[in-house]
């Protein structure tokens, strides 16, 4: 499940509950591990997870229509309770319009970096405007989700164009893993930026999923 670039359907571990009682959580594939970890740690057996392609991280124009289709499919399957595990994620408010029209809630915040750090704490960091953020997922998949989509493997001279205004890479880690920390450091070195490590855990995501009942 390292690269979640296709739709992933993961059923609830408690099939005895009906679909009407379950909550279909429609999530970005980039946070699949985290949603599953929170679900299993907190015995949230009512959560039925559907993940949409993680590569939409690089194509936010696909998120709102994709979520809208997933909501329609969930209702066609018999789910009456639906929660969207996306922040705005670069949709420019279009995802909020879909959620309002469909009567469903989403994770609060502008993007996953914010809700992992905690939205209030993230908003209070003045220096983050020149920071390039990594999560566990992006540390694992830096080549597939940063280098290759931006063409840096083919045109390394583009690094300065894309990253010239950044001063550091900030790794917001969900789990403490030395291997991932090394990958994040390597990413910072590749970009020629300073490196900062912040352990966040799951941040606001835990509370949001606990309320998705």
């Amino acid at each position: 499940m390292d690269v979640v670039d296709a739709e992933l359907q993961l059923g609830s571990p408690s099939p005895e509950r009906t679909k009407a009682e379950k909550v279909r959580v429609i999530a970005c594939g980039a946070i699949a591990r985290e949603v599953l970890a929170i679900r299993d740690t907190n015995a949230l057996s009512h959560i039925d997870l559907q993940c949409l392609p993680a590569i939409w991280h690089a194509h936010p124009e696909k998120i709102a229509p994709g979520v809208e289709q997933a909501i329609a499919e969930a209702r066609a399957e018999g789910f009456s309770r639906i929660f969207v595990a996306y922040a705005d994620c670069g949709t420019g408010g279009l995802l909020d319009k879909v959620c309002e029209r469909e009567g469903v809630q989403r994770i609060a915040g502008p993007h996953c970096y914010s809700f992992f750090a905690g939205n209030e704490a993230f908003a209070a960091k003045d220096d983050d405007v020149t920071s390039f953020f990594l999560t566990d997922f992006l540390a694992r998949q830096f080549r597939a989700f940063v280098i290759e989509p931006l063409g840096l493997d083919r045109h390394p001279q583009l690094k300065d164009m894309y990253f010239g205004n950044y001063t550091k890479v900030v790794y917001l880690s969900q789990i403490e893993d030395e291997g991932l920390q090394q990958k994040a450091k390597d990413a910072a070195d590749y970009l020629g930026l300073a490196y900062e490590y912040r352990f966040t855990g799951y941040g606001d995501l835990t509370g949001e999923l606990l309320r998705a009942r």
Side-chain angles (χ1 to χ4, degrees), residues 63-82:
I63 294 173
V67 168
E68 187 169 25
Q69 179 179 344
I71 291 171
E73 291 171 354
R75 288 185 170 141
E77 291 175 37
F79 289 93
S80 60
R81 299 156 68 196
I82 300 168

Side-chain angles (χ1 to χ4, degrees), residues 93-111:
L94 293 179
L95 182 57
D96 279 332
K97 290 181 179 179
V98 168
C99 291
E100 182 178 359
R101 184 165 61 247
E102 298 293 339
V104 302
Q105 292 184 319
R106 70 162 176 87
I107 296 174
H111 39 62

Side-chain angles (χ1 to χ4, degrees), residues 168-179:
K168 61 184 176 181
V169 166
V170 177
Y171 173 30
L172 305 175
S173 75
Q174 286 67 71
I175 60 172
E176 294 185 286
D177 183 292
E178 291 184 1

Side-chain angles (χ1 to χ4, degrees), residues 38-197:
I38 293 168
R39 184 190 72 176
D40 295 344
T41 299
N42 293 278
L44 302 177
S45 61
H46 62 286
I47 285 180
D48 182 284
L49 176 62
Q50 178 186 12
C51 287
L52 301 182
I55 196 60
W56 289 358
H57 181 275
H59 302 281
E61 72 279 1
K62 296 184 178 182
I63 294 173
V67 168
E68 187 169 25
Q69 179 179 344
I71 291 171
E73 291 171 354
R75 288 185 170 141
E77 291 175 37
F79 289 93
S80 60
R81 299 156 68 196
I82 300 168
F83 180 77
V84 173
Y86 276 89
D88 179 76
C89 298
T91 70
L94 293 179
L95 182 57
D96 279 332
K97 290 181 179 179
V98 168
C99 291
E100 182 178 359
R101 184 165 61 247
E102 298 293 339
V104 302
Q105 292 184 319
R106 70 162 176 87
I107 296 174
H111 39 62
C112 61
Y113 316 121
S114 181
F115 68 68
F116 277 139
N119 285 312
E120 290 186 11
F122 188 88
K125 291 289 265 186
D126 294 334
D127 63 334
D128 281 348
V129 67
T130 58
S131 299
F132 182 76
F133 292 95
L134 297 178
T135 61
D136 287 0
F137 179 87
L138 287 175
R140 288 188 188 96
Q141 303 297 340
F142 184 73
R143 169 167 288 277
F145 281 78
V146 179
I147 294 176
E148 292 176 0
L150 294 178
L152 303 183
D153 52 333
R154 303 180 301 279
H155 307 286
Q157 69 276 13
L158 294 176
K159 280 193 287 187
D160 287 340
M161 183 179 77
Y162 285 120
F163 297 96
N165 292 323
Y166 290 103
T167 60
K168 61 184 176 181
V169 166
V170 177
Y171 173 30
L172 305 175
S173 75
Q174 286 67 71
I175 60 172
E176 294 185 286
D177 183 292
E178 291 184 1
L180 289 179
Q181 290 178 44
Q182 186 58 56
K183 288 179 181 290
K185 290 177 184 176
D186 291 344
D189 290 342
Y190 175 83
L191 297 176
L193 300 174
Y195 172 74
E196 181 179 332
Y197 174 75

